[in-house]
Amino acid sequence: MTTAHWLFGDQLGPHFLTPGAEGPDRDAPVVLVEALSVFRRWRFHRAKAHLVLSAMRHRAAELGGRVRHVRSETYREGLREAVGDDAVTVHHPTSHAALRLVRSLDRVTVLPARGFLVPPADFRAWADDRGGRRLRQEDFYHWVRREHGLLMDADAPAGGRWNLDHDNRERPPEGASTLGAPSPYRPREDDIDAEVRHDLDRWERDGLVRFVGRDGPRRFPASRREALTALRRFVEHRLAGFGPYEDAMLAADPVMSHSLLSSSLNLGLLHPLECVELAEEAWRAGRAPLNSVEGFVRQIAGWREYVWQLYWHFGDDYRHSNALRHHAPLPDWFLDLDADAVEARCLATALAQVRDTGWTHHIPRLMLLGSYALQHGWDPAAVTDWFHRCFVDGYDWVMLPNVVGMSQYADGGRMTTKPYTSGGSYVNRMSDLCKGCAYRPTERSGDRACPYTTGYWAFLHRHRERLAGNHRMAQAVRGLDRLADLDELLCRESELGDSPP
Ligand code: FAD
């Protein structure tokens, strides 16, 4: 008798049903459980709830008679309703909590994880080989490229260099309000989306759940077909321009040349290997330059994979890291995505993007939203929770290293060598967001002081002792001694408190 196979809502692509020694039985009946408790427990962005439910329901529709699609309060109840006491298989889930759950159920056999490039045993062997040295992302990325033969010419990196970041850190083109890149793929909603929207309205009306943010029209793929269309459109039309302005921000062009593929990858609709192979093919065929292709491969085979491995490597306690002892709660205007309450143009723009779409690219996440939280000493676990709930691509595994480690430096430097934060001059250099702003990036005290500039110096001052011992921060910390207006600056910082800047 074939054993049923359970798919979590982020295991929706065909590679989660490929049979084999480490896969489900051939033609196994499939179980999908929509657990309402997940939506009750957290106040998600409504567009995220919509996307996940739409993707699960699209998968159920594709699988037709093969699927037992259950709507229940909890996973346990749903599984019982779907298969009773029968055995099921499931691929290794993507969070510590879900792994604990499936391991606690006797009749569930946990198969290896799918949807990533590097098996955990290979990562452990690589980490062991480092002999206690820092697990640098750059080293990891070179190793992944070698192991998978990605962008390699024999034993050497294609083009002779591993890292083309130097060509990919451009400021936005002077005077341009948009990059003018071909528009990204946007899906068209269907009857399944209408049903999802109807259910979400009803849940809200009946007081079962509370959401944040605006929902609709759906902007991200909910099926394999849509995700493949988005990938191909990106590679054919937008990849060529991906590299140079990867770190730049433009108020009127939130997407620029970014791929918008994170939610499809994280729902399991796309496999990372197909994304990087298609990008490499485009370079080999002369359709995209190496700096753009290397930049994209680095994000997926480097960063995404590294973050996944670190999540398991650091363990579940990593979420409680708080090296800087930051305990301030998030203010309501931030929790509610109330962009209209914010005067600082850069932060208002990023917050409005999150409110309206559940997405911003990596620099607004790191250098605007995350940086503001870091400068104001917000509790890193609450910041992580906020990112998780408010972003369409947010999942526990990807949030923890990115927010606890990279953005909030709460792990005291296990992931990054320095805190990522800056004054307004960085924002001014890399964007057009300071134009027309009520504040001045170069001013750090007084009524027109840029909140990021004030916040940056106040942050350095607060953590002076710790940061003075960090060779990448020591020079910045010494700069505090040259500030004639430090007291005034700190006064302005405390006056601002947790009101919107
Ligand atoms: P592109 O710029 O087109 O990059 C291509 C792909 O690379 C992305 O689709 C993504 O799959 C991958 N990628 C790049 N960097 C990372 C990274 N650091 N971690 C994981 N994948 C990466 N990414 C998420 O997928 N989910 C998150 O919840 C998430 N939270 C983040 C929070 C913070 C504070 C920061 C700094 C980064 C976070 N990222 C997260 C990484 C990155 O910002 C998003 O993957 C990216 O902005 C998604 O847009 P895109 O698909 O257009 O990406």
Side-chain angles (χ1 to χ4, degrees), residues 258-262 266 299 359 362 365 393-394 398-399 402:
H258 289 275
S259 70
L260 297 179
L261 293 174
S262 52
N266 297 353
Q299 297 292 33
W359 180 93
H362 66 147
R365 295 187 202 205
D393 53 20
V398 67
M399 276 306 155
N402 271 312

Side-chain angles (χ1 to χ4, degrees), residues 443-445 449-459 489 492-493:
E443 294 183 23
R444 50 180 184 257
S445 56
C450 166
Y452 282 93
T453 309
T454 313
Y456 175 72
W457 289 111
F459 170 78
L489 174 161
R492 169 150 178 86
E493 176 70 3

